[in-house]
């Protein structure tokens, strides 16, 4: 089927299945276009929690579909490609968290949403890049904090809040690949541009040194900021899937990727055809054992409530 036929078939199946399609901002443009809601991890979690649909098709990666399943145990959550994983979520194991907790019995575990359900179940609270600073700033100041798994986001949170955090040495392979030399080249080429940097980027500290007025923003923060900012040109340091949404929501502005090949191959595993097959054949249902989900739900509910 061509794209137009696939799109129409998806819309018809969505009505039949009483389904909603949620898509992350890093998804392919054509997948974003068939979604009912496009956003970042926090926005998607909130939308998954409030939807009245019976079926949630999650155009994202596995931990996102898991999050939706945890927050909606009575609904069917489908992931169009079961192999759509996450290198960051895969970097940490429950054993890593348990070892820290054993050494710090009074400690608090802050888990980035980019983690598997078994890790979330061991956390005191989950965060996204959009609310991590706010969540950590509100935690008791007399208790040690283990921030997992993204060390660059954790370093950003520590810098902004002034809190001492124990950081797990995890990273997103896409954001870690955006380096200082990429930023320096764009600074020279576009000195007038506004710089928007995702806090998962390994170049965050050096960017703030090179350009102190650069904005450290979540994907959703980038969209909101670009729409209201007076600047007309923006340099964007994150996965390039965000460019479609930025160009759509701020059509009179120019967006330049710091690294044009900053592509998450896991996000791009989701295609329009796979979304169609997911709805047609009800594949692939994502389920989390209730004993794990019950514990993870507490940490996720605290995350969704902030901000």
């Amino acid at each position: 089927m061509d794209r137009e036929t696939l799109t129409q078939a998806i819309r018809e199946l969505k009505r039949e299945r009483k389904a909603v399609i949620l898509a992350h901002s890093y998804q392919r443009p054509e997948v974003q276009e068939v979604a009912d809601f496009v956003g970042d991890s926090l926005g998607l979690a909130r939308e998954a929690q409030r939807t009245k649909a019976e079926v949630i098709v999650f155009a994202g990666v596995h931990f996102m579909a898991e999050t939706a399943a945890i927050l909606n145990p009575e609904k069917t959550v489908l992931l169009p490609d079961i192999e759509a994983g996450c290198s960051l979520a895969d970097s940490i194991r429950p054993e890593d968290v348990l070892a820290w907790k054993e050494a710090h019995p009074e400690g608090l575990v802050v888990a980035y949403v980019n983690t598997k359900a078994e890790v979330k179940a061991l956390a005191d609270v989950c965060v996204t890049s959009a609310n991590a600073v706010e969540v950590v700033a509100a935690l008791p100041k007399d208790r040690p904090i283990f921030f997992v798994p993204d060390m660059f986001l954790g370093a950003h949170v520590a810098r902004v809040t002034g809190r001492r955090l124990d950081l797990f040495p995890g990273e997103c392979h896409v954001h870690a690949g955006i380096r200082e030399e990429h930023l320096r080249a764009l600074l020279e080429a576009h000195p007038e541009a506004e710089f928007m940097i995702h806090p998962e980027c390994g170049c965050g500290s050096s960017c703030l040194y090179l350009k102190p007025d650069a904005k450290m923003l979540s994907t959703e923060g980038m969209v909101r900021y670009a729409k209201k900012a007076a600047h007309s040109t923006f340099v964007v340091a994150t996965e390039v899937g965000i460019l479609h949404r930025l160009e759509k929501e701020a059509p009179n502005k120019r967006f330049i990727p710091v690294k044009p090949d900053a592509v998450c191959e896991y996000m791009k595993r989701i295609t329009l055809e796979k979304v169609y097959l997911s709805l047609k054949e009800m594949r692939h249902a994502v389920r989390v054992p209730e004993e794990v989900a019950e514990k993870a739900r507490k940490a996720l509910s605290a995350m969704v409530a902030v901000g």
Side-chain angles (χ1 to χ4, degrees):
M1 285 188 277
D2 59 29
R3 183 180 296 185
E4 186 177 344
T5 305
L6 265 177
T7 299
Q8 184 57 35
I10 288 168
R11 288 175 177 150
E12 290 173 2
L13 280 168
K14 195 168 58 171
R15 285 192 294 271
E16 290 175 19
R17 302 291 195 196
K18 298 179 182 176
V20 65
I21 300 174
L22 306 182
H24 192 272
S25 297
Y26 295 161
Q27 287 292 304
R28 298 169 183 268
E30 62 270 23
V31 172
Q32 293 186 39
E33 289 302 313
V34 298
D36 297 282
F37 180 86
V38 181
D40 66 356
S41 296
L42 181 57
L44 292 166
R46 286 175 172 157
E47 197 65 24
Q49 193 175 47
R50 71 170 63 105
T51 184
K52 300 290 194 262
E54 295 177 7
V55 176
I56 298 172
V57 179
F58 217 111
V61 292
H62 195 273
F63 77 80
M64 296 178 178
E66 271 192 339
T67 296
I70 291 165
L71 293 172
N72 295 277
E74 76 289 355
K75 298 184 187 300
T76 300
V77 177
L78 305 176
L79 183 62
D81 189 319
I82 201 66
E83 299 299 323
C86 172
S87 61
L88 179 56
D90 287 343
S91 70
I92 187 164
R93 306 164 301 160
E95 295 91 324
D96 300 315
V97 180
L98 288 169
W100 186 90
K101 286 167 73 84
E102 185 176 352
H104 303 83
E106 298 301 313
L108 298 172
V109 177
V110 177
Y112 191 24
V113 72
N114 298 46
T115 46
K116 294 181 178 180
E118 291 79 7
V119 171
K120 290 182 176 74
L122 296 171
D124 294 281
V125 64
C126 287
V127 297
T128 69
S129 55
N131 69 2
V133 167
E134 186 178 358
V135 171
V136 170
L139 293 176
K141 303 228 174 350
D142 59 345
R143 298 176 70 179
I145 298 171
F146 190 30
F147 190 99
V148 303
D150 192 278
M151 59 182 173
F152 298 119
L153 175 60
H156 167 68
V157 172
R159 183 172 58 246
V160 176
T161 63
R163 302 292 299 271
R164 183 191 175 281
L165 306 179
D166 288 345
L167 304 179
F168 182 81
E171 63 182 27
C172 162
H173 72 289
V174 176
H175 285 114
I178 299 174
R179 298 185 295 274
E180 180 180 340
E181 59 264 31
H182 301 124
L183 289 167
R184 196 179 292 275
L186 269 293
L187 272 168
E188 294 173 1
H190 302 280
E192 80 294 348
E194 185 88 274
F195 274 59
M196 300 191 297
I197 315 295
H198 195 285
E200 282 184 32
C201 289
C203 60
S205 296
S206 57
C207 179
L208 291 174
Y209 174 76
L210 293 168
K211 189 171 175 60
D213 62 346
K215 303 296 185 292
M216 299 289 284
L217 298 164
S218 67
T219 51
E220 199 65 29
M222 289 181 183
V223 175
R224 285 196 301 267
Y225 184 77
K227 288 167 70 174
K228 70 178 184 181
H231 281 73
S232 60
T233 303
F234 299 83
V235 169
V236 182
T238 190
E239 210 271 357
V240 295
I242 189 69
L243 297 177
H244 174 74
R245 189 159 170 233
L246 286 167
E247 290 164 356
K248 182 178 179 180
E249 299 205 24
N252 298 319
K253 298 181 179 182
R254 182 186 181 199
F255 299 97
I256 304 162
V258 167
K259 194 167 180 278
D261 62 349
V263 176
C264 175
E265 65 269 28
Y266 300 110
M267 284 283 185
K268 299 305 188 278
R269 289 187 68 92
I270 309 296
T271 64
L272 210 55
E273 183 177 11
K274 288 177 182 177
V275 172
Y276 164 74
L277 290 172
S278 184
L279 277 165
K280 182 182 179 184
E281 301 175 7
M282 296 296 284
R283 65 157 82 160
H284 302 270
V286 174
R287 298 180 179 88
V288 179
E290 184 53 32
E291 62 271 19
V292 174
E294 183 180 7
K295 295 174 182 176
R297 197 173 294 123
K298 294 175 183 176
L300 281 169
S301 296
M303 175 192 83
V304 172
V306 175

